[in-house]
Amino acid sequence: MPESLLAVDSLGVAYGDVRAVWEVSFRVAPGEIVVLIGPNGAGKTTIMRALAGLERPAAGSVWYESRPIHDVSAATPAHALAAHGIVLVHEGRHLFRNMTVLENLDLGAFTPRARPERDRTRRHVFDLFPRLAERQHQRVATMSGGEQQMVALGRAMMGLPRLLMLDEPSLGLAPLLVRDIFQAIRTLNQEGTTILLVEQNARRALALADRAYVIEQGRVAGSGTGEALLHDAHVQRAYLGGG
Ligand code: ATP
């Protein structure tokens, strides 16, 4: 499918003998926001980790910019994928807690593509998150959860992502900060970054999404536009607290 930035075909991922993801197929077109929703343990994180080269697929294929980035024999190393603009912001953030905001941000610009743009991108990050500019010399360990999530997003931006993958960016954040993080995601998308988002906050995520996939028990259980899924009876019952 040449118009896709990312095409996932029949992806399977296993932890040892235990299969976590089965026959998962989906597409992300350039400029889209695509969301994966589903219950805890459904395999969403596993899918993201496989796409980022952190888990080796047991089956299936993944195409990025029309090139295969995984085959069943060898996962492409995560740093090589980052060099091509695939950047994952992990659930739980994975920051260097004893380093400063500035040091964490600059580590995000490690690829040959991003390094020459580092100072300019950092100014962009500080425009989007003025709080990080104010606190650039503060150790990350001493920052609030919301501020740390901003650092994680900012560090991902420093890598100049073409496909930005976000795993539960709003987890554990107060409502006002959730709003800020979603607004930042929307801004990045409007600036041209394609987004693949895993979110517990299904209502907000579907409102933001161009398209979404429902992942249940390691499989795609439904898909549609964000708008259509907001009105889907199963999605309402299972994920929106309605019926
Ligand atoms: P959550 O929202 O709770 O993170 P998820 O949809 O992201 O859920 P995954 O974290 O991908 O789900 O987990 C999918 C399945 O794989 C679960 O049954 C989980 O227990 C299992 N799993 C995840 N990581 C590992 C691992 N490192 N080793 C073994 N099993 C794992």
Side-chain angles (χ1 to χ4, degrees):
M1 197 170 276
E3 72 273 21
S4 295
L5 181 63
L6 182 77
V8 180
D9 281 311
S10 300
L11 179 68
V13 188
Y15 294 107
D17 293 337
V18 181
R19 197 44 108 78
V21 169
W22 305 80
E23 299 272 322
V24 164
S25 300
F26 65 92
R27 299 278 185 270
V28 183
E32 273 194 310
I33 300 180
V34 172
V35 166
L36 308 181
I37 60 169
N40 286 335
K44 305 178 301 296
T45 296
T46 302
I47 294 168
M48 300 282 261
R49 289 180 55 82
L51 300 180
L54 299 170
E55 301 292 344
R56 172 188 291 239
S61 59
V62 182
W63 299 73
Y64 173 73
E65 293 182 329
S66 303
R67 287 191 298 266
I69 56 169
H70 295 80
D71 59 42
V72 291
S73 59
T76 307
H79 61 263
L81 295 177
H84 286 104
I86 301 183
V87 178
L88 171 64
V89 180
H90 294 269
E91 184 178 350
R93 305 178 193 116
H94 292 215
L95 296 168
F96 295 97
R97 292 171 54 77
N98 284 320
M99 293 166 67
T100 65
V101 170
L102 195 58
E103 288 164 338
N104 271 276
L105 290 179
D106 285 356
L107 282 170
F110 71 92
T111 64
R113 195 167 68 84
R115 201 176 301 121
E117 305 293 325
R118 192 181 69 181
D119 293 354
R120 198 179 55 79
T121 315
R122 200 196 301 115
R123 283 195 295 276
H124 183 208
V125 171
F126 287 160
D127 283 345
L128 194 62
F129 298 117
R131 180 84 62 96
L132 297 187
E134 290 160 20
R135 298 186 174 224
Q136 55 186 290
H137 301 298
Q138 187 169 332
R139 269 192 328 129
V140 162
T142 63
M143 300 180 81
S144 74
E147 290 165 348
Q148 291 188 21
Q149 190 61 59
M150 290 175 197
V151 177
L153 253 177
R155 186 178 62 181
M157 287 170 63
M158 295 295 291
L160 297 179
R162 290 203 271 262
L163 176 65
L164 178 60
M165 300 197 294
L166 302 164
D167 193 357
E168 305 276 11
S170 78
L171 195 70
L173 301 188
L176 274 179
L177 283 168
V178 173
R179 197 197 58 189
D180 287 352
I181 292 291
F182 271 82
Q183 185 54 49
I185 295 168
R186 189 188 292 279
T187 300
L188 289 175
N189 177 251
Q190 284 165 349
E191 291 171 355
T193 307
T194 305
I195 307 278
L196 179 61
L197 172 67
V198 165
E199 250 302 323
Q200 291 283 339
N201 192 329
R203 190 178 301 279
R204 264 188 188 277
L206 292 176
L208 183 71
D210 294 303
R211 292 183 309 106
Y213 294 83
V214 183
I215 308 294
E216 293 177 353
Q217 298 183 332
R219 299 175 187 271
V220 176
S223 64
T225 63
E227 179 69 20
L229 289 180
L230 276 172
H231 296 100
D232 178 271
H234 170 67
V235 169
Q236 288 189 344
R237 214 167 30 245
Y239 305 111
L240 303 176

